[in-house]
Amino acid sequence: MRLTESIVRAATREKYGKSEIPDDTVPGLILRLRDSGSKKFIVRSSIDGDRKSVTLGSPDKGMTLADARKRAMEELANGLQPRVKPQAPPTLTDMMEQWEKSEAPRHGEQYRRDTRRYWKKFIQPAFGENDLRQIDRPDVREWFLNLDASETTANRAHSAIQKLFTLAVEKRHINYNPAANMKKHVEDARTRVFTIDEVTDVLDAIHAHEADRPIAANALRCALMISARIGEVQKLKHAQFDFEQGVWHLPASMRKTKNEVVAPLSPHFAEFIKSRPRWSETFVFPSPKDPEKPVRYEVIRDLWHLVRPDTDAHIHDFRRTIATNALSAGMNIIGIQKMLGHKNFATTAKSYLHPETGERDIMQKYHDTISAGIFGPGDEA
């Protein structure tokens, strides 16, 4: 049958009693009819003994008979090779999605949050949809040097983009990492150590906000007492404390350095944990909205912004304060390294120890201040 536009429009499977109507004008061109009433053009032929067919399009979606005949002849001339949809070039957005699937679960909450922030604020606007193969080292260098951020933040953003390029190399999208071996900014190591007066002021401010934010208030107090990272404080569980043995456990899954720690439970800290309200059967500091989840970092951070001595003060500075006070009190550096959970001795010595001459009793003063601020004067644990 020689197909015409009128036949194509009127053709139904019920009317013709068959599912396919071949076109005599272009051998191999077929109008296929469905029971549902839909129809489409296909081209079919036997090539080297193999029967092949290619879908051309549908008259229901605007394909004319003339278009179908033209396409059919082109496909026949091409040997009815299957059309491979061209793949979009790989981008850093693809690598970020891959990072979320394969890499993010291996890292802690804070690391994941920071990486996503660097991606959204710095990396995605500059390179997100660019073809990975077209991004070279000068591009990355120029981006890095012109970041509107502090030297520390710029270095962290660079580390994040370098990891994404590393994934791209592993996936064989590119042959080299354009961000590798790039000179970073020299950072000034933080040396902030809180004075006893500052600690007292922070404790007073925490007390003033406790009625409205009891869980965040006590999480901050805990950070003042011990050398754990705030992420470890967030996730503390009642099961980690063995009051009979006088120890508390920090499993590797909670540690940035992925090493398990069993630490002595000081009388101050033991009394603090015992005397806190039991807001949850699982977490010492649960989410105010869901007691079966730990308190979110943002909840603690928001309170910290209200009670900190100044805008340059960080919660993490309490770790440095405790370490420095311990050194001044006579603890050796190896012991302090273990207390902080550092793998690298240089990290402890360079970034965390800033003793003041003549302050041998500073550790006792610090503990006395914390105890008085939490339990009240004359009521230390």
Side-chain angles (χ1 to χ4, degrees):
M1 177 184 294
R2 182 179 182 278
L3 290 176
T4 64
E5 290 289 0
S6 60
I7 291 175
V8 171
R9 284 194 300 271
T12 64
R13 188 165 185 170
E14 182 180 6
K15 180 177 180 179
Y16 283 88
K18 53 186 177 181
S19 61
E20 295 182 350
I21 304 176
D23 178 37
D24 292 343
T25 302
V26 178
L29 176 62
I30 297 168
L31 177 65
R32 177 173 286 174
L33 308 173
R34 298 291 189 186
D35 289 333
S36 62
S38 65
K39 58 193 79 172
K40 63 182 178 181
F41 291 112
I42 67 170
V43 60
R44 181 188 298 141
S45 182
S46 292
I47 299 175
D48 297 329
D50 293 330
R51 194 182 190 196
K52 298 181 179 181
S53 63
V54 172
T55 298
L56 304 175
S58 171
D60 300 329
K61 296 183 179 180
M63 176 169 270
T64 66
L65 177 59
D67 291 337
R69 284 172 173 160
K70 181 179 179 182
R71 282 284 311 281
M73 288 188 288
E74 291 173 352
E75 294 291 348
L76 288 167
N78 193 40
L80 296 187
Q81 296 297 322
R83 294 189 301 277
V84 179
K85 184 179 180 180
Q87 290 187 340
T91 66
L92 275 182
T93 296
D94 297 328
M95 295 303 98
M96 186 62 186
E97 292 174 356
Q98 180 63 42
W99 180 88
E100 289 283 6
K101 293 177 182 177
S102 62
E103 300 297 317
R106 298 172 44 239
H107 296 284
E109 179 183 350
Q110 182 68 47
Y111 182 91
R112 296 195 299 268
R113 182 167 50 242
D114 287 344
T115 299
R116 290 164 185 151
R117 178 164 57 89
Y118 300 141
W119 164 256
K120 185 175 181 180
K121 186 173 183 179
F122 301 115
I123 303 172
Q124 185 180 31
F127 298 116
E129 302 306 321
N130 292 23
D131 184 342
L132 277 173
R133 298 163 298 186
Q134 302 302 317
I135 303 173
D136 56 22
R137 189 174 180 82
D139 294 330
V140 178
R141 184 66 179 168
E142 182 180 3
W143 164 80
F144 173 63
L145 293 177
N146 289 286
L147 283 176
D148 184 15
S150 68
E151 293 175 342
T152 299
T153 300
N155 285 346
R156 302 299 180 273
H158 176 273
S159 295
I161 199 173
Q162 183 173 343
K163 289 181 175 65
L164 296 180
F165 281 124
T166 296
L167 271 179
V169 172
E170 292 174 356
K171 297 295 181 182
R172 299 186 178 181
H173 294 311
I174 53 178
N175 296 323
Y176 81 105
N177 188 330
N181 301 316
M182 189 171 289
K183 186 177 180 180
K184 296 186 179 181
H185 299 303
V186 177
E187 300 177 27
D188 293 330
R190 284 190 63 81
T191 60
R192 180 68 178 268
V193 174
F194 294 126
T195 66
I196 295 299
D197 287 341
E198 286 176 328
V199 172
T200 301
D201 290 342
V202 168
L203 287 167
D204 290 344
I206 290 174
H207 181 73
H209 290 279
E210 183 171 12
D212 296 330
R213 308 166 189 243
I215 295 175
N218 280 282
L220 272 182
R221 286 184 178 126
C222 185
L224 268 69
M225 295 187 72
I226 60 176
S227 58
R229 299 172 178 87
I230 192 63
E232 296 162 355
V233 171
Q234 279 177 259
K235 300 173 185 176
L236 280 177
K237 296 180 178 180
H238 295 292
Q240 291 174 235
F241 296 93
D242 187 336
F243 295 108
E244 290 186 5
Q245 296 295 322
V247 296
W248 61 295
H249 300 257
L250 273 173
S253 59
M254 286 178 59
R255 303 278 294 169
K256 177 182 178 182
T257 49
K258 302 303 179 185
N259 60 316
E260 182 179 3
V261 171
V262 180
L265 192 57
S266 71
H268 288 84
F269 190 34
E271 180 59 26
F272 172 78
I273 295 297
K274 289 179 180 179
S275 61
R276 296 310 93 185
R278 200 174 181 92
W279 291 292
S280 163
E281 291 303 310
T282 304
F283 293 100
V284 178
F285 307 114
S287 165
K289 296 181 179 180
D290 185 353
E292 293 308 309
K293 293 181 179 180
V295 63
R296 294 173 63 241
Y297 169 76
E298 289 79 6
V299 174
I300 303 174
R301 179 203 61 195
D302 290 347
L303 177 58
W304 173 247
H305 287 173
L306 296 174
V307 304
R308 59 188 174 180
D310 53 68
T311 56
D312 187 51
H314 297 177
I315 299 176
H316 200 76
D317 293 335
F318 283 115
R319 274 170 59 83
R320 187 177 303 103
T321 300
I322 293 171
T324 297
N325 290 346
L327 180 68
S328 297
M331 181 182 286
N332 65 60
I333 296 181
I334 298 299
I336 295 172
Q337 178 189 356
K338 292 180 179 179
M339 178 181 73
L340 296 175
H342 288 156
K343 287 185 176 180
N344 190 332
F345 172 81
T347 301
T348 308
K350 179 180 178 181
S351 303
Y352 282 80
L353 303 179
H354 303 279
E356 296 179 17
T357 305
E359 291 289 325
R360 299 288 296 179
D361 62 343
I362 189 67
M363 197 64 176
Q364 186 60 48
K365 290 180 181 178
Y366 184 84
H367 276 303
D368 290 346
T369 301
I370 296 294
S371 184
I374 294 175
F375 302 107
D379 190 29
E380 292 89 343

